[in-house]
Amino acid sequence: MNLLKDADIDPGPLAGKRVAILGYGNQGRAQAQNLHDSGIDVVVGLRGGSGSTNEAETAGLTTALIEHAVGSADIVMMLAPDEIHAALYSEIEPYLQHGAALGFSHGLSVRFGFVEPRADLDVFLLAPKGPGTALRSLYREGKGMIALWAVHQDQSGQAREIALAYGRAIGCARAGLIGSTFAEEAEADLFNEQAVVWGGVPELLIAGFETLVAGGISPEVALLECVGELSLIAELIEARGIAGMREAISNTAELGATLGGRRIVDDGVRARMAEVLAEVRAGQFAQELSREEASGYPRLERARSDARSTLLEQTFERLREIEG
Ligand SMILES: NC(=O)c1ccc[n+]([C@@H]2O[C@H](COP(=O)([O-])OP(=O)(O)OC[C@H]3O[C@@H](n4cnc5c(N)ncnc54)[C@H](OP(=O)(O)O)[C@@H]3O)[C@@H](O)[C@H]2O)c1
């Protein structure tokens, strides 16, 4: 693994350059503020009437309409939601300066062909491996968030240096920048979202809660057991690795984990994980995302309202009120 840190990276490629951040959401807010605090000339590009204009200006940032921000910038960062990148790119392409650099924080739209950048552009990826809120708070603490970088097009011969300098300016190189590709970043990220941390783990918690309640355990105890202990194990794994976590728990818990874990996550689960990866690589999920956006997000709306009405959620709210 090739890991680069602040000391390995020349900040020069961003000197005197203007960066346009398109979108002031989770990542846009954090990256714009970190760049600004690193002394970079930043403009936040927003659509007319955007509710984010006030917020960005209050944070001391310059804002402009998207086309003006793009036209004035040497480097343009696509930090609007992935599913609108195709439409947003078509809108901005006429305003992109000849030879500008176009950056992404997720490989999806390039990997799956939603954006086909003009041939004269440098195209790079700088993908922080965590949410924007943490990217910003780590930066303010003088720390950084690990990130992947990659180059898709290198017309100037400087795309690698621009990507690395950008990763340094948003604070990620304090932790480290890892070389990757758009395909590797996009496929691994989409796989994890579905099969592991964001898809698999919550469903495992729900299944455990429902099994205990069906077996006569009170919802409060079931929730404390199955959901309440998640942050403890996450902290242990982050600090000590999975083997270290097992060594830190009681013999009772360790034997339970040893006997039970593989029984639940068996070969069937691994086979379905392989299916998910194959579907991601074939572009099936990217098409689903596109269809979901085009039809006004019906499945996301339904899933959000269904999730709010479950016994698990009601128990969670009750316990939260009790705990204050
Ligand atoms: N969420 C994360 O922390 C995270 C982590 C790693 C990578 N990423 C990547 O970072 C990128 C941005 O993700 P995000 O979660 O930060 O997005 P987000 O919070 O959903 O982005 C919201 C911003 O996008 C703007 N926007 C929405 N639709 C738009 C449109 N049609 N035209 C112009 N602007 C529009 C919004 O404008 P208004 O202000 O006008 O509403 C808002 O400023 C994605 O590629 C994502 O995969 C995100």
Side-chain angles (χ1 to χ4, degrees):
M1 184 180 69
N2 183 9
L3 184 101
L4 298 170
K5 294 213 166 220
D6 274 355
D8 308 313
I9 297 168
D10 174 12
L14 289 198
K17 299 279 169 64
R18 172 169 257 218
V19 179
I21 298 287
L22 303 188
Y24 198 68
N26 203 324
Q27 278 297 315
R29 190 181 295 115
Q31 294 191 25
Q33 293 183 13
N34 290 3
L35 289 168
H36 179 71
D37 289 355
S38 293
I40 307 296
D41 178 16
V42 188
V43 57
V44 178
L46 293 165
R47 42 191 175 177
S50 168
S52 302
T53 307
N54 246 346
E55 192 195 334
E57 289 179 356
T58 305
L61 297 163
T62 303
T63 65
L65 286 176
I66 289 175
E67 59 269 30
H68 295 150
V70 168
S72 72
D74 306 283
I75 296 154
V76 174
M77 207 60 198
M78 295 278 273
L79 296 179
D82 298 297
E83 65 272 21
I84 64 117
H85 280 189
L88 182 61
Y89 179 75
S90 305
E91 192 186 315
I92 66 167
E93 197 187 58
Y95 301 98
L96 281 162
Q97 289 184 20
H98 184 85
L102 183 66
F104 294 82
S105 280
H106 188 16
L108 185 149
S109 39
V110 169
R111 160 65 178 87
F112 295 105
F114 295 123
V115 174
E116 290 178 13
R118 226 171 49 198
D120 61 284
L121 303 172
D122 285 344
V123 180
F124 71 93
L125 175 76
L126 197 296
K129 287 290 104 187
T133 42
L135 180 70
R136 179 64 182 152
S137 56
L138 284 167
Y139 181 95
R140 286 168 67 98
E141 290 164 26
K143 298 182 194 156
M145 173 181 282
I146 209 152
L148 304 186
W149 71 273
V151 168
H152 175 70
Q153 275 179 202
D154 183 12
Q155 291 310 313
S156 68
Q158 280 284 298
R160 173 185 184 274
E161 283 63 35
I162 292 170
L164 296 178
Y166 186 90
R168 190 182 196 274
I170 63 170
C172 290
R174 295 169 179 173
L177 305 185
I178 299 172
S180 183
T181 63
F182 275 68
E184 183 181 66
E185 190 278 339
E187 291 167 10
D189 196 69
L190 296 177
F191 170 79
N192 173 44
E193 283 162 1
Q194 290 176 51
V196 193
V197 172
W198 306 100
V201 170
E203 285 302 330
L204 191 64
L205 304 184
I206 293 166
F209 171 84
E210 290 178 352
T211 303
L212 283 182
V213 171
I217 305 289
S218 77
E220 288 77 13
V221 171
L223 190 88
L224 287 170
E225 283 296 341
C226 295
V227 183
E229 294 190 352
L230 187 67
S231 65
L232 302 177
I233 191 172
E235 277 167 25
L236 280 172
I237 291 175
E238 196 169 308
R240 309 168 64 126
I242 291 177
M245 172 276 289
R246 292 228 165 106
E247 286 160 14
I249 58 183
S250 70
N251 286 346
T252 315
E254 192 180 357
L255 184 64
T258 305
L259 297 180
R262 286 287 180 108
R263 192 163 164 206
I264 300 301
V265 181
D266 60 6
D267 288 347
V269 171
R270 286 185 161 72
R272 288 193 295 283
M273 284 185 165
E275 276 171 28
V276 168
L277 181 58
E279 288 170 13
V280 161
R281 286 186 162 149
Q284 274 171 252
F285 176 77
Q287 290 303 333
E288 290 287 347
L289 181 65
S290 212
R291 272 197 289 274
E292 184 70 7
E293 189 272 332
S295 54
Y297 302 98
R299 279 180 299 187
L300 282 183
E301 299 286 353
R302 203 167 46 248
R304 284 171 193 154
S305 91
D306 287 353
R308 283 271 161 222
S309 59
T310 61
L311 176 62
L312 189 153
E313 255 0 272
Q314 289 157 7
T315 311
F316 175 81
E317 291 301 336
R318 216 166 34 245
L319 278 177
R320 211 165 56 164
E321 270 173 34
I322 293 167
E323 287 168 351

